[in-house]
Amino acid sequence: MPPSAPKKQSSKLSDNSKDISLTKTKTSRQDLMVGNLGPAGAAGDTDWYRPKTFLKPEDQLQLSEADLQEEIARVLMVHNTRIPDSLVEWSWKWREFVRLPDPPHLVTLLNISGTMLLKESEEARVQMAGGVISEFPICFFFAEMKAPNSIYTLHIVAEADDDPHADKEKGDGLTDELDEQEDEDDDTLIGDEDDDDAREADVSADKKKTDGPTEAEGELDEDEAEVARPKKVPNQFNFCERAALTYDNPMRDVTTQTVPPPTASFNGHVFQWIIFDEYQEDFLQQQKEKEKERKVAPMTTQPKKEDAKRKVQSEAMAGTFRMLQAAKTLERMVNQNIFDDISQDYRYWNDPSDEFKDGEGSLLPLWRFSYEKTKKHDVTDMCFNSRYYDFFAVSFGSMSFESTVASGTVCLFSLKNPSYPEWICPIESPVMCLDFSMQHPHLLVIGTMDGTVAVYNVMLPPTAPQYKSNDVVQKHGGIVWEVRWAPDTEEGNLAFYSVSIDGKINHWVLNQNDLGVTTVMTLYLDRDPIPGPDGTMITLKGCGTCIAFHPTDKNIFLVGTEEGTIYKCNTAYSSVYMKTYKEAHNMPVYRIVFNKYNSSIFASCSGDWRIKIWEDDRLEPLFMFDLGVPIGDVQWAPYSSTVLACVSNDGKVTVFDLNVNKYRPICSQAIVSKKRSKLTRLAFNQVLPFLVVGDDKGVVNTLKLSPNLRVRVKPTKKQLHLSQAELESLKLERLLSFVREPPVLTPPKDVAVTH
Amino acid sequence: MTEVKKDDVVKILHTYPLCRKCDMSDEMKQEAMELCVTAAEKYADNYESVSRMIKETMDKKFGASWHTVVGEGYGFEITYQLKHLLYMYCAGNLAICIWKSA
């Protein structure tokens, strides 16, 4: 488009804008023809071109003047023919075509988003408030398109600070004109050739087709006065960029190669005859196998022999128990045959020489009980069963700290079978003590070196204990030296006591599933506390080694300690001693036993070589025997109130009968070799006149007491109505009366036993 | 007489699947043989479809790159991944060889 054309047109439009406001213009045919020659002709106004001569092509249609003068009307319609009407769309909702609203008669020719703001707008106000310098002229330029009327309006607002009023007047006038034109529904373009740049002119020229009006509108900037001292806006173009570059991580290629899966090659040929042949071969093979199966089938119908064998086996299994019983009986019979002479002696032999030895007796060795696996153990305790008098339990453990024995065993022996234990129970810690329950002869309680106590039912296989103290919260802190069954609790539960080297006497109750424990007594020494390694004061505890319960008053018990003190305690008071036999012995007390006939008399033995016999309320012993060697165990005879036996480290069993001799033993007999072994424990049989002694080689010797060692009281004529027990009691009482009276009498001096 | 004998022989035409060589695991072998029989029965007249079905199913079930040859007469020399070969006869006149080679 040549720049001259729009200028002229726009000037013309501005001159007689009212005329052109009609949409109808007149163009002659000549103009149209001229228009064909060039774009300039399209302007439609021929006045300017008349002086010019046009070149005409030779084959142009020759028209007469009249034809040329004929007016052809061109109508410019508001209606844009390019916009489609009757637009429809398929509605899936209604299942039919629905009519769409007509698109707007709007053509966007130019859309420039300016950087300028309308002064009245909010943004402008904010900016002004922020401190725009008001001395510069502010121009607002915006194009507003009013779609329904297809009117393109271009508002050019130009304003200079020096002359705002003139512009405003001019703008007002133009605005009025514009309003009128819009009323007439015309496409108008009002162009105001102001002192602005050429771009505006171009814009107006581009809008020539629709002849839109251009309007310049000036406004007086009245708001400026209000902004007196605007703030300074920070210069948004004054900035600097900062950047940082970090080191790249070095790249490294890592590749691996795996071994390809193993392959093999295979080849073959396929022909119909090969397929056929192989089918035949396979079929034959199958036939053969079928025939074989047929032959095998009748064979398999005779498995009766195997079944019979199985039956026999199962019967044998069922009969195992009976077999065992029979074997046991047979074993006992064999033993009886082997040890026939011993059995005879055990029952019937009495040393005839006793008749001639006044006041002296002897011990006849009978069987030796031992178990192969406990040859290196010490016999730590023995206890006869209350129901079967010839049945006793032996615990194997260790008496010395240097011992390498790390495990223990409990064995039950019967006199009927001296060759092998009836019941063997290996235990991981050396067993130190045990006790059969009187009321429940099948229950055996044991105490071990690691402080555990456990209750076994000897009727069951010795696999697991019925009850076992909890290793974490319940166990004793050291060797359990003695366990004793206690009377049942009020609830009817079984209970037992244990005394340990940690100075505690515990009362254990066999609950439904576990053992309940109560510490009955802690053996605090009545010495001042000594400072411990970390400064705390430690109250010393006595190390309990043995315990004996009063035969009649079940609450009272005696405890012997390593210090040699004997405490008389009551289960009802856990903190005070009823009596303290201070320095009863100078070495650990190994055993305290109450007399079977007089409950106020008890004997104790110790490592200080002495046996002492005490009366309940006397702090001084009634009798004292010094054997010259540590005494491992002492027991009162069950049949006599004045007979007691002890075992000593030199392998001797010593028997006293106070009624016969108050100063010397009536029997002292070496049972085992003095050099090789020493005796540790002793137990009287409750029924028959024999005792068992254990040594430190795991051997239990059975010894029969000769008649002089079991002298019964012969009742006088006055005493005929009295029972044997009363007679025994009287015998002891009479003996004690000699010792006790007068009370000022000093006890007899120690008498060394001559060997 | 000879002709009669021949006829007798011909009458026994076996069509059961006969495995000629297989080093697959039992599970895979059973599945592959079943697949081959099914395919051969389904496309009795189109060996290409048979082989296509076998190959695609085996690819799906046991991983890619199975190869299948189905035909009445051919020769082959293949390299296969161990434990992935089955060569069997089927339907009396069809030899199917499937193997895996990645």
Side-chain angles (χ1 to χ4, degrees):
Chain A
M1 182 72 61
S4 61
K7 267 191 180 174
K8 283 178 178 123
Q9 191 176 16
S10 60
S11 66
K12 180 175 173 62
L13 281 169
S14 61
D15 288 339
N16 47 6
S17 55
K18 277 184 183 174
D19 296 337
I20 298 172
S21 64
L22 287 170
T23 55
K24 216 173 180 182
T25 56
K26 288 178 181 174
T27 312
S28 64
R29 182 166 291 181
Q30 193 179 12
D31 293 341
L32 287 173
M33 288 169 63
V34 170
N36 288 338
L37 296 174
D45 196 345
T46 57
D47 294 344
W48 288 87
Y49 303 102
R50 253 178 212 166
K52 292 181 183 173
T53 53
F54 299 107
L55 290 172
K56 289 182 183 175
E58 288 172 3
D59 56 344
Q60 188 175 342
L61 187 67
Q62 295 297 323
L63 292 172
S64 63
E65 195 62 22
D67 289 339
L68 287 170
Q69 289 297 325
E70 187 188 351
E71 283 192 351
I72 297 165
R74 284 180 74 196
V75 181
L76 294 177
M77 303 292 288
V78 177
H79 186 72
N80 188 352
T81 53
R82 294 194 177 193
I83 291 172
D85 61 344
S86 306
L87 278 178
V88 290
E89 189 186 56
W90 175 257
S91 165
W92 289 100
K93 187 180 177 185
W94 304 110
R95 299 268 165 195
E96 62 183 0
F97 287 98
V98 292
R99 206 186 163 92
L100 286 177
D102 287 338
H105 294 251
L106 172 65
V107 178
T108 302
L109 295 176
L110 181 70
N111 188 4
I112 300 171
S113 50
T115 56
M116 284 174 274
L117 297 173
L118 183 62
K119 205 174 178 187
E120 289 163 343
S121 70
E122 192 62 34
E123 294 151 281
R125 217 165 281 153
V126 169
Q127 197 174 12
M128 300 260 265
V132 174
I133 299 162
S134 58
E135 287 165 6
F136 284 89
I138 301 163
C139 296
F140 292 97
F141 172 86
F142 68 93
E144 184 182 352
M145 289 176 246
K146 293 184 178 178
N149 297 326
S150 296
I151 291 171
Y152 296 83
T153 45
L154 186 67
H155 298 255
I156 297 170
V157 182
E159 174 177 288
D161 204 27
D162 51 358
D163 191 13
H165 293 279
D167 281 351
K168 195 189 176 188
E169 283 169 8
K170 190 179 174 183
D172 286 342
L174 285 168
T175 312
D176 292 339
E177 288 177 7
L178 181 67
D179 290 340
E180 287 172 12
Q181 286 161 8
E182 282 173 358
D183 290 340
E184 290 165 11
D185 201 24
D186 282 345
D187 289 339
T188 54
L189 179 74
I190 297 170
D192 189 1
E193 293 184 24
D194 212 72
D195 50 352
D196 289 320
D197 53 11
R199 194 174 55 173
E200 283 179 84
D202 287 342
V203 169
S204 55
D206 288 342
K207 296 185 188 301
K208 181 180 59 183
K209 271 184 191 169
T210 49
D211 290 341
T214 304
E215 180 197 329
E217 189 172 335
E219 275 186 15
L220 179 61
D221 195 0
E222 292 170 355
D223 292 334
E224 274 183 24
E226 294 172 16
V227 187
R229 287 286 175 189
K231 284 184 201 168
K232 212 169 187 185
V233 175
N235 185 357
Q236 55 182 327
F237 299 103
N238 184 14
F239 64 89
C240 66
E241 267 181 25
R242 288 176 189 276
L245 186 65
T246 59
Y247 286 111
D248 284 342
N249 285 325
M251 305 293 278
R252 187 178 297 158
D253 285 341
V254 178
T255 56
T256 56
Q257 190 172 14
T258 58
V259 180
T263 55
S265 60
F266 175 58
N267 55 14
H269 296 280
V270 183
F271 299 106
Q272 284 301 305
W273 52 88
I274 291 177
I275 295 175
F276 181 83
D277 286 350
E278 294 196 340
Y279 263 119
Q280 292 297 330
E281 202 177 305
D282 186 69
F283 187 70
L284 282 175
Q285 196 84 18
Q286 284 182 7
Q287 292 292 334
K288 275 182 188 172
E289 279 176 14
K290 271 183 189 172
E291 279 173 21
K292 269 186 191 172
E293 277 175 14
R294 273 175 210 156
K295 282 175 189 170
V296 171
M299 293 281 284
T300 53
T301 54
Q302 302 169 332
K304 279 181 182 173
K305 276 183 187 172
E306 284 177 13
D307 280 3
K309 270 185 188 174
R310 277 179 199 163
K311 247 184 192 175
V312 169
Q313 267 184 346
S314 62
E315 278 172 8
M317 288 294 282
T320 305
F321 182 71
R322 282 188 358 218
M323 273 290 288
L324 275 176
Q325 289 282 32
K328 189 182 267 184
T329 310
L330 199 66
E331 189 184 16
R332 286 182 177 189
M333 286 166 71
V334 169
N335 272 302
Q336 199 179 336
N337 283 345
I338 294 170
F339 298 109
D340 183 49
D341 49 342
I342 293 178
S343 299
Q344 298 292 337
D345 288 350
Y346 154 66
R347 274 294 185 180
Y348 307 114
W349 193 82
N350 286 317
D351 194 349
S353 66
D354 270 23
E355 289 178 28
F356 310 106
K357 291 189 284 185
D358 191 22
E360 277 192 30
S362 63
L363 295 164
L364 173 70
L366 302 172
W367 304 279
R368 280 163 54 89
F369 293 89
S370 66
Y371 175 47
E372 190 62 37
K373 289 181 180 171
T374 57
K375 284 264 164 117
K376 288 178 180 171
H377 288 68
D378 298 345
V379 173
T380 51
D381 206 359
M382 291 180 297
C383 182
F384 275 96
N385 190 279
S386 62
R387 177 159 178 176
Y388 301 103
Y389 66 88
D390 56 356
F391 191 55
F392 63 98
V394 181
S395 64
F396 295 96
S398 163
M399 287 287 198
S400 64
F401 284 110
E402 301 91 49
S403 172
T404 54
V405 170
S407 66
T409 310
V410 174
C411 291
L412 301 186
F413 287 100
S414 171
L415 297 184
K416 295 188 176 80
N417 182 9
S419 59
Y420 199 74
E422 291 282 309
W423 191 86
I424 303 161
C425 178
I427 288 159
E428 59 264 32
S429 180
V431 187
M432 300 309 290
C433 52
L434 49 75
D435 191 23
F436 264 123
S437 173
M438 287 292 280
Q439 287 82 23
H440 307 277
H442 61 283
L443 288 179
L444 180 72
V445 60
I446 63 162
T448 63
M449 190 176 263
D450 64 356
T452 312
V453 292
V455 177
Y456 282 86
N457 182 352
V458 299
M459 294 198 294
L460 300 177
T463 47
Q466 295 283 94
Y467 295 91
K468 189 169 186 240
S469 63
N470 189 303
D471 278 347
V472 179
V473 293
Q474 286 187 326
K475 68 191 262 177
H476 275 293
I479 301 169
V480 180
W481 271 114
E482 193 155 3
V483 284
R484 282 284 171 263
W485 285 98
D488 293 354
T489 60
E490 288 173 4
E491 293 84 29
N493 290 333
L494 301 180
F496 63 88
Y497 290 97
S498 66
V499 62
S500 164
I501 205 161
D502 65 355
K504 286 182 179 173
I505 292 116
N506 281 356
H507 182 239
W508 305 81
V509 179
L510 279 64
N511 294 325
Q512 189 74 28
N513 298 315
D514 59 341
L515 278 176
V517 63
T518 324
T519 299
V520 170
M521 173 68 81
T522 308
L523 301 170
Y524 288 113
L525 298 179
D526 55 348
R527 290 183 203 163
D528 293 330
I530 57 158
D534 53 349
T536 53
M537 300 304 279
I538 295 170
T539 309
L540 293 176
K541 285 187 228 170
C543 303
T545 52
C546 57
I547 190 169
F549 278 86
H550 198 277
T552 51
D553 189 349
K554 291 293 183 187
N555 283 337
I556 294 168
F557 61 93
L558 295 166
V559 184
T561 63
E562 292 239 4
E563 292 77 32
T565 313
I566 295 173
Y567 297 103
K568 185 182 176 188
C569 310
N570 195 317
T571 52
Y573 316 112
S574 64
S575 55
V576 290
Y577 305 119
M578 291 176 74
K579 189 161 281 184
T580 304
Y581 297 90
K582 202 158 181 146
E583 296 194 14
H585 287 279
N586 299 322
M587 292 282 278
V589 181
Y590 287 140
R591 184 73 86 193
I592 300 170
V593 277
F594 275 97
N595 190 282
K596 300 280 193 294
Y597 294 91
N598 189 333
S599 58
S600 64
I601 302 297
F602 61 90
S604 65
C605 71
S606 164
D608 66 352
W609 308 354
R610 283 168 191 166
I611 297 166
K612 291 183 180 180
I613 297 167
W614 310 75
E615 192 171 20
D616 207 346
D617 290 326
R618 268 171 214 266
L619 288 174
E620 293 297 319
L622 295 174
F623 295 94
M624 188 155 60
F625 303 102
D626 194 323
L627 299 188
V629 284
I631 299 158
D633 200 357
V634 65
Q635 293 288 343
W636 289 96
Y639 52 83
S640 171
S641 60
T642 53
V643 174
L644 74 161
C646 66
V647 289
S648 49
N649 271 7
D650 58 355
K652 280 182 179 174
V653 174
T654 308
V655 183
F656 293 89
D657 190 342
L658 302 175
N659 196 34
V660 175
N661 194 332
K662 286 195 278 288
Y663 309 110
R664 289 169 166 276
I666 56 169
C667 174
S668 181
Q669 193 171 330
I671 305 301
V672 292
S673 163
K674 184 179 175 179
K675 287 177 186 169
R676 269 185 288 167
S677 55
K678 52 190 182 185
L679 297 178
T680 53
R681 290 298 188 193
L682 163 84
F684 272 98
N685 187 280
Q686 303 295 320
V687 178
L688 292 172
F690 74 93
L691 50 84
V692 289
V693 292
D695 65 11
D696 63 351
K697 292 285 180 288
V699 178
V700 176
N701 281 287
T702 323
L703 304 169
K704 179 156 182 172
L705 296 147
S706 70
N708 272 0
L709 300 180
R710 44 186 166 100
V711 179
R712 295 294 181 105
V713 183
K714 284 174 184 168
T716 58
K717 284 180 182 175
K718 286 181 186 175
Q719 292 171 326
L720 279 173
H721 63 284
L722 295 172
S723 70
Q724 191 65 34
E726 283 167 323
L727 287 172
E728 289 288 343
S729 194
L730 280 174
K731 180 176 74 173
L732 183 61
E733 203 59 43
R734 192 165 51 86
L735 177 70
L736 290 173
S737 67
F738 290 129
V739 183
R740 279 198 292 239
E741 286 175 354
V744 292
L745 196 73
T746 52
K749 283 186 176 178
D750 293 352
V751 177
V753 176
T754 54
H755 303 297
Chain B
M1 281 298 282
T2 52
E3 275 192 16
V4 170
K5 267 186 184 174
K6 256 187 184 176
D7 284 344
D8 284 349
V9 172
V10 168
K11 269 178 189 171
I12 310 168
L13 184 65
H14 305 290
T15 57
Y16 61 88
L18 171 60
C19 176
R20 285 291 302 144
K21 184 176 169 65
C22 177
D23 66 348
M24 293 173 172
S25 62
D26 288 342
E27 207 175 315
M28 194 192 277
K29 177 188 174 184
Q30 197 178 342
E31 204 157 326
M33 284 184 71
E34 265 176 36
L35 170 67
C36 290
V37 172
T38 312
E41 282 172 3
K42 190 175 178 183
Y43 304 104
D45 53 346
N46 188 347
Y47 295 158
E48 190 190 332
S49 300
V50 175
S51 62
R52 180 183 296 278
M53 177 179 172
I54 292 170
K55 184 226 165 14
E56 283 172 358
T57 316
M58 289 301 282
D59 277 356
K60 253 183 229 168
K61 280 184 181 168
F62 301 107
S65 296
W66 284 86
H67 310 273
T68 309
V69 181
V70 180
E72 291 175 14
Y74 57 90
F76 57 90
E77 163 87 34
I78 57 164
T79 301
Y80 66 97
Q81 197 174 316
L82 284 183
K83 301 275 173 198
H84 294 87
L85 170 75
L86 173 68
Y87 176 49
M88 61 178 286
Y89 299 144
C90 182
N93 65 338
L94 214 57
I96 299 176
C97 182
I98 64 177
W99 74 97
K100 184 176 178 175
S101 174

